[in-house]
Amino acid sequence: MAAPQGYFSDGLSAARHAVRLRMDLRHLVIVGEDGLALTIWSLADLRPVDSVAGGELRLSCASVPDARLTVTDPLATAALLAAAPALQPKTGPGRRGVGVWAVASVAAVGLLILALPILGTAIAGMVPRSWEEAWGDRVYAQASLLLAGPGAPECRGSPGREHLERLLARLAAAAGVDGLRLHVLANDLPNAFALPGRHVVVLGGLLTSAGTVNEVAGVLAHEVAHVAKGHVTRRMVQEHGIKLVWLATIGAGTTGDLAQSLLGLSYSRDAEREADAEAIALLAKAGIRSDGLGRFLERITREQGDMPAFATFLSTHPPTAERVASLATPRTGKDATSPDAWAAIKAVCPKK
Amino acid sequence: MTSETPSASPEFTTDVPTAPLVSLILKNLALAILTLGIYRFWGKTHIRRLLWTHTLIQGERLEYTGTGGELFKGFLLVLVTVFIPLFLLNLGARALVEQEEIRAAGAVYSIFAAVALYLPGVAIYRAARYRLSRTRWRGVRFSLEGKGWAYGVRVMLFLLALGLTLGLSYPVQRVNLWRQMWNRVHFGDKPFHFEGGARSLYPRFLLAWVVGMAFLLGLPAFIAITYAPTYEPPGGIPLVDTSPEMALLLIPLLFILLLLPLWIFYKAVEMRTLAGSLSFQGIRFTFDVRSWPLIRLLLGNLLLVLMTLGLGGPFATVRSLQFVCARLRPVGETDFAAIAQGAQPAPASGEGLAEMFDSVDI
């Protein structure tokens, strides 16, 4: 036999035959080594099989879908493609495609990162309040357990507790938020936070370590701002949302957690900046001096040290220096409460 | 009568081109985001077609005949029949806990856990079955007998046995599972044959096991010693002592540095043995894999995937494919004319379960 022009498998067995090809206007004749036709295919029935660009042409036939013809002779290939152009192997995106799709994917990822907080806020707005409260009650129970110990009662020292409630109510009114529930826990950490379901938790350490009542007011305003801006519910939704969207679109499991953490932290830092700015506005609206939060942060940083700049992207808060700078405001407004009320507030939690 | 020369030993090669693969990955990313993930099934199919088409046995290319639509259908099927019921079971259990019906919650949760433990084994089997049924060489299909239900039970029971034997049953289980699957793999109408035991695997396995156990048993003691109470100066504000944190970082690091080479050392002999126990119609296989190249392959793949946030996954697959093709050698000859097209009914849709458990990577 002259040099084979291709190889043929009939789809009934795994045997392969070296073949030559003959073509007329409507048929392709596949001829075996002994010169006899193995089979005849109609040109209209020819179907492409995945081939490599610049490599050998692979075909099948609609009437015998299991059969395979691989054409190795370039002249035969050219003749076949001329007769049946649909057989031209469709290559996917090639080298030029890299540039095009790189731009497209960067744009798509950018869109996703921008859209996530909007999606998060939208979904958060749809969460029924009763769900959020049920969730928040559970989280509060855990927080109380963790911070104050099992079965520990909240601090209720009178009249300090009532003064604190009134202060919180003023800020809530300024923010247009209702239904805030105040808790004071016996814990020495100088901190306060907002939970889903409109819980505002103040830790005893904040009251004892604050220099002035305005510092407490500043921290409270910051937390009220978080609630007013919907950060708390949004965070609750985003915790799961980012991971779900990442999994759906990119689909690599473990990196979803990483993405969630990094993206979540960056949204968190934006939320903190927003809460700081809103806190100033709330304090001004309530007629309270607004330099308290900045001073509080300054003092805490002096006592406990700030994190190094490069670790910022791992933190939930922007660097303190940046916050203090943006919180510096002229000292208009009155003290949050009278000195007597402040003394009472400091005594809300029993002394150890 | 066949006109081909007696078959030379079929060898495995791969020639996946870089630029088209990069294009595909980026295209999949962009379209997956824009379609909120729906496109992923089609994207995955395109990548598989590229990889399969560029894998050759005896110089002839494989074919992948699956479609994105099949994967999508499989996904929807499993969403309705498995995911939603499981989700509801989980919710139900949690609701019962809320209402203090602890015993009922426990019962519901046990059902949930049993199903969740059972399904991954089934998922692996069915994913393999789908992919094999969509793979052709010379037009002849591969196939995998059975539906995977028994395989899933086996995987689940083996998991329990693994716990009961403190991990010692691992090599025996691996060989057993391979046997269960490979004896049912067919090319055309002829099955593969797996014959071999786990005895030669135990020396290296025990080495890794002993070191791992020593580590796990010594860990509590180690933690107790390093976690000394932090020093509190009279001022009242405790200084943060950094050494417990450093210890916590060192422990996993030591674990990895010590145990990883030993584990790979075992894995190399496991792979060699599994391949050596496999035969097909007179062809046997040798897989010349050594520990150090295997470590380089796995670490390289890990780095690749981490640094590209998962996008480089297909390239990790290509590296593994090249690794295998360079080291897997068939020995012997067979008469391909005697292998007929199989009559196995092929699954109509694919991999929904594996999709759900995120165990599909190519």
Side-chain angles (χ1 to χ4, degrees):
Chain A
M1 175 171 139
Q5 292 173 307
Y7 296 96
F8 174 73
S9 302
D10 61 8
L12 298 172
S13 83
R16 189 182 78 152
H17 309 266
V19 295
R20 289 189 62 82
L21 306 168
R22 280 205 309 268
M23 233 169 60
D24 64 28
L25 275 178
R26 272 193 276 164
H27 299 101
L28 174 68
V29 184
I30 299 172
V31 179
E33 267 187 335
D34 50 8
L36 297 173
L38 286 173
T39 187
I40 301 178
W41 285 354
S42 164
L43 285 181
D45 277 350
L46 293 181
R47 299 283 177 268
V49 169
D50 282 346
S51 309
V52 169
E56 297 156 343
L57 185 65
R58 299 203 292 175
L59 317 168
S60 176
C61 176
S63 50
V64 191
D66 289 343
R68 294 289 180 269
L69 175 67
T70 305
V71 185
T72 53
D73 175 30
L75 287 174
T77 306
L80 264 174
L81 288 178
L87 296 175
Q88 182 72 35
K90 275 188 294 270
T91 48
R95 228 175 241 131
R96 227 183 336 141
V98 175
V100 169
W101 288 111
V103 171
S105 52
V106 166
V109 171
L111 204 69
L112 189 67
I113 295 181
L114 286 176
L116 274 175
I118 301 175
L119 278 174
T121 314
I123 296 176
M126 294 191 276
V127 175
R129 191 153 155 175
S130 55
W131 281 23
E132 193 195 326
E133 282 178 17
W135 176 264
D137 289 348
R138 266 203 300 272
V139 179
Y140 171 67
Q142 285 174 350
S144 166
L145 187 67
L146 204 64
L147 294 165
E154 295 182 19
C155 299
R156 293 195 184 281
S158 235
R161 175 70 199 244
E162 284 75 38
H163 287 300
L164 209 53
E165 297 256 13
R166 266 196 292 265
L167 176 54
L168 184 67
R170 278 167 71 189
L171 293 167
V177 173
D178 67 319
L180 287 181
R181 296 179 271 180
L182 175 71
H183 309 271
V184 185
L185 294 178
N187 183 295
D188 289 335
L189 288 174
N191 211 341
F193 46 89
L195 295 175
R198 291 161 195 250
H199 295 274
V200 175
V201 181
V202 172
L203 301 181
L206 176 69
L207 304 175
T208 50
S209 66
T212 71
V213 70
N214 302 311
E215 295 185 15
V216 175
V219 174
L220 280 181
H222 178 96
E223 298 309 325
V224 172
H226 273 316
V227 176
K229 290 279 177 190
H231 296 164
V232 186
T233 324
R234 196 173 77 187
R235 179 69 186 280
M236 180 179 111
V237 167
Q238 271 178 355
E239 291 286 284
H240 302 287
I242 293 179
K243 183 159 181 195
L244 275 178
V245 175
W246 190 268
L247 278 180
T249 53
I250 295 174
T254 46
T255 54
D257 285 313
L258 188 65
Q260 176 187 338
S261 311
L262 289 178
L263 279 179
L265 290 173
S266 114
Y267 297 138
S268 160
R269 288 193 293 275
D270 287 337
E272 291 299 326
R273 290 188 187 97
E274 213 183 349
D276 281 346
E278 179 70 7
I280 302 287
L282 287 180
L283 291 166
K285 215 167 151 187
I288 303 174
R289 294 171 62 138
S290 48
D291 59 341
L293 183 56
R295 285 176 162 250
F296 175 73
L297 291 174
E298 265 179 331
R299 196 157 43 70
I300 292 297
T301 314
R302 246 183 294 131
E303 284 169 7
Q304 294 192 344
D306 197 3
M307 71 195 149
F310 61 81
T312 314
F313 75 96
L314 288 176
S315 162
T316 50
H317 288 67
T320 315
E322 177 195 321
R323 294 180 75 189
V324 170
S326 66
L327 287 167
T329 51
R331 296 185 191 108
T332 52
K334 302 198 298 220
D335 282 338
T337 63
S338 65
D340 290 335
W342 174 222
I345 288 176
K346 275 185 109 74
V348 167
C349 282
K351 285 221 178 346
K352 294 263 173 63
Chain B
M1 192 165 97
T2 130
S3 58
E4 60 182 322
T5 51
S7 55
S9 287
E11 36 167 62
F12 306 102
T13 42
T14 176
D15 60 2
V16 182
T18 314
L21 186 56
V22 174
S23 290
L24 267 183
I25 294 176
L26 291 173
K27 178 178 172 189
N28 290 355
L29 178 63
L31 291 177
I33 292 179
L34 289 176
T35 59
L36 288 183
I38 309 258
Y39 182 76
R40 254 179 9 108
F41 304 103
W42 284 264
K44 212 186 283 184
T45 301
H46 288 319
I47 289 188
R48 277 189 208 171
R49 282 172 66 178
L50 188 72
L51 294 180
W52 262 237
T53 309
H54 287 269
T55 303
L56 305 98
I57 303 179
Q58 203 182 335
E60 292 174 65
R61 301 181 178 278
L62 288 175
E63 267 176 76
Y64 181 72
T65 59
T67 69
E70 286 167 355
L71 292 181
F72 186 53
K73 263 197 296 190
F75 168 74
L76 287 179
L77 201 65
V78 167
L79 189 70
V80 170
T81 58
V82 176
F83 186 76
I84 292 183
L86 274 186
F87 184 70
L88 291 174
L89 266 182
N90 202 350
L91 266 185
R94 281 210 225 150
L96 284 172
V97 168
E98 298 270 303
Q99 296 170 17
E100 315 262 311
E101 298 272 342
I102 301 298
R103 220 172 274 157
V108 174
Y109 197 72
S110 305
I111 301 177
F112 169 80
V115 174
L117 274 181
Y118 169 62
L119 287 179
V122 180
I124 292 172
Y125 197 87
R126 291 177 82 88
R129 181 167 169 253
Y130 173 76
R131 272 178 273 182
L132 282 169
S133 72
R134 286 350 188 227
T135 304
R136 288 179 185 246
W137 186 70
R138 290 187 178 173
V140 175
R141 273 185 302 266
F142 286 84
S143 59
L144 176 59
E145 257 177 43
K147 297 278 185 70
W149 308 123
Y151 190 82
V153 173
R154 199 176 277 260
V155 168
M156 185 171 75
L157 293 178
F158 278 177
L159 200 63
L160 296 173
L162 203 64
L164 289 174
T165 62
L166 296 179
L168 282 171
S169 57
Y170 183 77
V172 169
Q173 290 178 359
R174 291 281 293 173
V175 168
N176 190 294
L177 287 175
W178 264 65
R179 181 182 301 122
Q180 291 306 312
M181 199 185 277
W182 279 97
N183 276 336
R184 292 181 175 78
V185 175
H186 289 72
F187 173 59
D189 64 344
K190 302 291 187 292
F192 279 73
H193 186 59
F194 183 91
E195 187 167 2
R199 208 172 302 157
S200 53
L201 299 180
Y202 268 94
R204 291 198 191 185
F205 178 73
L206 286 175
L207 181 61
W209 187 85
V210 163
V211 171
M213 276 294 146
F215 211 98
L216 284 175
L217 291 175
L219 200 63
F222 185 71
I223 291 183
I225 295 173
T226 28
Y227 241 110
T230 59
Y231 170 62
E232 278 205 23
I237 301 175
L239 290 174
V240 175
D241 187 1
T242 50
S243 49
E245 276 72 22
M246 291 304 288
L248 280 180
L249 275 181
L250 275 177
I251 292 172
L253 199 64
L254 264 180
F255 191 72
I256 293 174
L257 284 177
L258 270 181
L259 214 52
L260 189 71
L262 289 177
W263 184 245
I264 304 290
F265 191 53
Y266 159 71
K267 275 289 167 181
V269 78
E270 186 193 81
M271 289 185 197
R272 280 208 295 270
T273 308
L274 290 176
S277 309
L278 206 56
S279 66
F280 178 75
Q281 298 295 109
I283 301 178
R284 301 200 63 96
F285 300 93
T286 64
F287 189 28
D288 181 25
V289 48
R290 308 291 170 87
S291 312
W292 180 232
L294 188 57
I295 292 181
R296 281 209 311 267
L297 173 73
L298 294 174
L299 283 184
N301 284 356
L302 185 67
L303 267 177
L304 180 61
V305 170
L306 281 181
M307 295 210 309
T308 56
L309 289 183
L311 291 175
F315 277 101
T317 307
V318 171
R319 285 185 85 232
S320 303
L321 190 60
Q322 289 167 336
F323 183 88
V324 170
C325 285
R327 289 167 176 78
L328 183 66
R329 300 237 184 286
V331 177
E333 296 176 0
T334 191
D335 182 14
F336 285 113
I339 302 171
Q341 184 76 264
Q344 277 293 332
S349 65
E351 296 186 15
L353 270 183
E355 184 71 34
M356 185 174 116
F357 291 107
D358 196 28
S359 61
V360 178
D361 49 355
I362 53 161

